[in-house]
């Protein structure tokens, strides 16, 4: 198995507090955010890895750890290939008004949490409130799917994800993965604490998996005449950043539902 080590800039907004007098009604200007630090993979304590020239990737049949450069050609599986059967895509929208688990919240624009004086590991968010949302859901059904057959599937966060569908077209045709359905679910908007997306993806509980299981998958099966497997070996989750956290906690809290997780740069 090849493990790729990448560097990703990002992080939560900095919390700043200024002391001293200010004129009435004046707002403190937050300091500019510093450039996020990068980590040197040659630092002692890192897993030993072979650094490849920029633009190069290791062969698919090579085991080991590798550091890849910022530019490289996309994997052929991620590009539409001539002659490869293409699956059918369906789209629908879900409303907060129809959700029992997630009726909807939002945080006021331009506001963030403040550090809890009694627990510096926590943020206090006072500007979050109930708010409606809609989310888009895309369903990929491979060309090879036989109606009525029980299908394995993958649930993806922050959807719809066109790259996922292209990859499945190619990988199914190459027989590297089974004939499988993909359900790519959009988030309920916002980011981080106090937002609907933060509530869904960053909360350490089984709630998001329960939302998918009871509110999303039954709709998918009913609307598109699909039968999705109940076998956790045939169920996968995936996501990036906070979506990667969501993918992990779906299986962590409900291993009876998911045995396979694909998380990129999970928070």
């Amino acid at each position: 198995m090849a493990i790729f080590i990448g560097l990703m800039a990002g992080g939560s907004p900095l919390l700043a507090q200024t002391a001293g007098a200010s004129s009435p009604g004046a707002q403190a200007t937050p300091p500019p955010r510093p450039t996020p630090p990068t980590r040197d993979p040659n630092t002692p304590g890192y897993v030993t890895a072979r650094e490849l020239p920029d633009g190069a990737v290791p062969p698919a049949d090579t085991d080991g750890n590798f550091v890849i450069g910022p530019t490289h050609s996309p994997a052929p599986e991620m590009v539409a290939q001539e002659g490869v059967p293409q699956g059918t895509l369906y789209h629908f929208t879900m409303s907060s008004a129809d959700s029992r688990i997630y009726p909807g919240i939002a945080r006021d624009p331009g506001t963030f949490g403040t550090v809890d004086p009694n627990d510096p590991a926590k943020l206090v968010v006072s500007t979050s409130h109930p708010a409606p949302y809609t989310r888009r859901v895309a369903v990929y059904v491979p060309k090879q799917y036989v109606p009525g057959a029980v299908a394995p599937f993958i649930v993806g966060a922050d959807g719809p994800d066109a790259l996922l569908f292209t990859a499945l077209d190619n990988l199914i045709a190459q027989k590297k993965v089974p004939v499988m359905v993909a359900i790519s679910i959009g988030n309920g908007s916002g980011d981080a604490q106090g937002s609907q997306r933060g509530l869904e993806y960053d909360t350490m509980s089984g709630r998001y998996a329960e939302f998918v299981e009871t509110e999303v998958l039954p709709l998918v099966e009913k609307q598109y005449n699909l039968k999705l497997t109940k076998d956790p070996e045939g169920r996968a989750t995936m996501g990036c950043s906070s979506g990667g956290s969501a993918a992990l906690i779906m299986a962590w809290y409900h291993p009876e539902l998911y045995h396979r997780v694909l998380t990129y740069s999970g928070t």
Side-chain angles (χ1 to χ4, degrees):
M1 178 179 67
I3 300 175
F4 303 104
I5 302 173
L7 302 178
M8 182 174 183
S12 301
L14 295 176
L15 298 173
Q17 185 175 20
T18 58
S22 60
S23 59
Q27 294 185 346
T29 301
R33 294 182 62 181
T35 302
T38 57
R39 290 178 278 183
D40 182 356
N42 297 311
T43 302
Y46 262 64
V47 174
T48 301
R50 176 185 168 194
E51 190 161 358
L52 299 178
D54 189 29
V57 294
D61 58 354
T62 300
D63 291 337
N65 304 318
F66 301 89
V67 180
I68 60 175
T71 60
H72 53 272
S73 299
E77 291 83 2
M78 305 304 292
V79 180
Q81 303 291 335
E82 186 176 353
V84 170
Q86 294 186 353
T88 301
L89 294 180
Y90 302 97
H91 298 268
F92 67 96
T93 300
M94 298 182 70
S95 168
S96 55
D98 299 323
S99 178
R100 176 183 59 84
I101 295 178
Y102 289 130
I105 62 170
R107 187 181 66 244
D108 289 340
T111 63
F112 300 97
T114 56
V115 177
D116 185 342
N118 300 314
D119 185 351
K122 291 183 179 179
L123 290 180
V124 177
V125 180
S126 59
T127 56
S128 183
H129 49 80
Y133 67 81
T134 58
R135 74 174 80 240
R136 296 185 348 177
V137 181
V139 180
Y140 163 90
V141 180
K143 187 77 170 179
Q144 299 90 335
Y145 175 71
V146 177
V150 177
F153 65 91
I154 184 168
V155 174
D158 286 326
D161 185 352
L163 282 177
L164 170 61
F165 310 144
T166 298
L168 287 177
D169 279 340
N170 292 318
L171 293 172
I172 290 171
Q174 297 169 16
K175 302 188 184 302
K176 291 183 176 179
V177 300
V179 176
M180 61 191 298
V181 170
I183 302 101
S184 192
I185 306 170
N187 63 71
S189 76
D191 191 28
Q193 295 86 353
S195 73
Q196 182 63 40
R197 182 178 184 267
L199 177 64
E200 294 168 10
Y201 292 178
D202 296 326
T203 302
M204 289 299 292
S205 77
R207 194 176 182 188
Y208 185 70
E210 292 152 16
F211 163 72
V212 173
E213 193 69 20
T214 61
E215 298 191 12
V216 180
L217 299 186
L219 274 177
V220 170
E221 290 186 306
K222 180 180 180 181
Q223 292 181 180
Y224 306 116
N225 193 28
L226 299 171
K227 290 185 178 180
L228 302 175
T229 184
K230 302 294 185 183
D231 182 357
E233 287 292 314
R235 290 165 153 236
T237 66
M238 70 170 288
C240 177
S241 190
S242 285
S245 171
L248 173 64
I249 61 176
M250 288 178 74
W252 183 272
Y253 288 98
H254 285 288
E256 79 282 6
L257 298 179
Y258 300 95
H259 281 185
R260 304 179 186 277
V261 176
L262 183 60
T263 176
Y264 296 94
S265 192
T267 52

